Amino acid sequence: MSTTLAHGMAPPVNIGAPELPQLDIHHNPRVEDYGLRRRTQRERRESTVAKLVDATIAALVEAGYARTSVSEICRRAGVSHGGLFRHFPTVQDLVVAAAEEVARRQTQDFRERFEGKRGAPAAISSLRETARQPINSVWLELLVGARTDRELRRRLEPVTREHYQAILAVARTLPRTPDVSDRTLELRVLLLLHLFDGERLIRDIIPDSAREDALLELVIGLLTGAPPGNATPPPA
């Protein structure tokens, strides 16, 4: 990422700032001379990896899997091609790392939306809101890409399974009746995940809020036995 210089700006005014130590002009200053701590190699590596993963996610959201390139990722991250491959041996390693981060963020988003709420309608509504977040586009882009990319499919399989299990673990904290077994709960969560992922794709092409809300009410009614008109969850 190119660095630009600000133009036409007045010099900063130092108000109450502590005085820096007087340095000998022949002395080569170090960060320690300013009371700062030099970052460790591990911290520098983690920072670069985070920039690359964030750049990959942003590129996938905006450009899609087919149009995301190494050059675009490096430009967004401000990292050279060589810097990228020092941390990720292959582009697919970086893509999988991005998928893992997306799964983590989605699980955290669902957990935060679900926290403090009780009842299946609120949980179902929370899961739909998580699926509607822009970052879910990354997940869907990679799933579609994996359909025709055997190696990507192989690499994404364990990530997808772990992602489903993490979402399920949050759903298990919901009080349920004795007739809802662990297997039944798992199937219901998978049903909702697939439904809301599909809705996320189609609503970009054919948006219809009234139909989507009616579908949500129908699904809540089918899964909870709530009569029509009484299944809509309270506003978040």
Side-chain angles (χ1 to χ4, degrees):
M1 184 178 297
S2 60
T3 302
T4 60
L5 299 177
H7 298 283
M9 296 181 63
V13 179
N14 186 358
I15 302 177
E19 292 185 1
L20 296 176
Q22 296 296 320
L23 300 178
D24 189 331
I25 60 173
H26 301 293
H27 171 63
N28 185 22
R30 304 171 303 167
V31 293
E32 292 85 352
D33 295 323
Y34 295 93
L36 303 176
R37 183 179 66 84
R38 188 184 299 276
R39 292 195 304 170
T40 64
Q41 183 177 358
R42 178 179 177 180
E43 288 172 335
R44 291 195 298 272
R45 179 186 184 282
E46 290 176 348
S47 175
T48 302
V49 167
K51 288 178 181 179
L52 288 167
V53 169
D54 285 344
T56 303
I57 292 173
L60 288 169
V61 168
E62 296 180 21
Y65 180 68
R67 293 191 299 164
T68 294
S69 65
V70 170
S71 295
E72 177 64 14
I73 292 172
C74 290
R75 182 189 68 80
R76 289 173 180 266
V79 177
S80 67
H81 286 209
L84 186 155
F85 289 112
R86 275 197 298 273
H87 298 290
F88 295 96
T90 69
V91 175
Q92 201 156 87
D93 290 325
L94 175 56
V95 169
V96 172
E100 292 172 341
E101 177 61 15
V102 167
R104 187 195 67 78
R105 293 183 190 180
Q106 282 191 304
T107 302
Q108 182 62 26
D109 182 87
F110 177 48
R111 182 180 293 109
E112 291 175 355
R113 292 178 187 276
F114 183 61
E115 188 175 0
K117 297 179 181 179
R118 289 294 179 266
I124 294 171
S125 180
S126 296
L127 190 57
R128 184 178 75 159
E129 289 306 309
T130 293
R132 288 185 166 191
Q133 299 309 301
I135 198 172
N136 194 34
S137 299
V138 176
W139 190 255
L140 300 178
E141 285 281 343
L142 295 180
L143 290 180
V144 172
R147 186 182 69 83
T148 55
D149 187 329
R150 179 179 300 178
E151 179 60 17
L152 180 59
R153 185 164 64 247
R154 184 186 70 81
R155 297 286 301 275
L156 280 185
E157 179 183 351
V159 180
T160 304
R161 292 183 183 279
E162 290 177 9
H163 178 40
Y164 284 168
Q165 288 301 314
I167 293 291
L168 183 59
V170 178
R172 285 197 182 103
T173 64
L174 177 72
R176 48 185 158 131
T177 56
D179 60 302
V180 179
S181 65
D182 284 345
R183 179 58 174 169
T184 298
L185 178 64
E186 178 181 359
L187 293 175
R188 289 182 178 183
V189 169
L190 287 175
L191 170 67
L192 292 170
L193 284 171
H194 296 162
L195 170 67
F196 295 144
D197 279 347
E199 182 187 75
R200 176 68 182 83
L201 284 172
I202 199 65
R203 73 192 308 258
D204 284 338
I205 303 172
I206 312 176
D208 190 332
S209 297
R211 182 187 61 197
E212 293 162 4
D213 290 342
L215 178 61
L216 175 63
E217 183 172 334
L218 174 63
V219 170
I220 291 175
L222 290 173
L223 294 181
T224 65
N230 295 316
T232 303

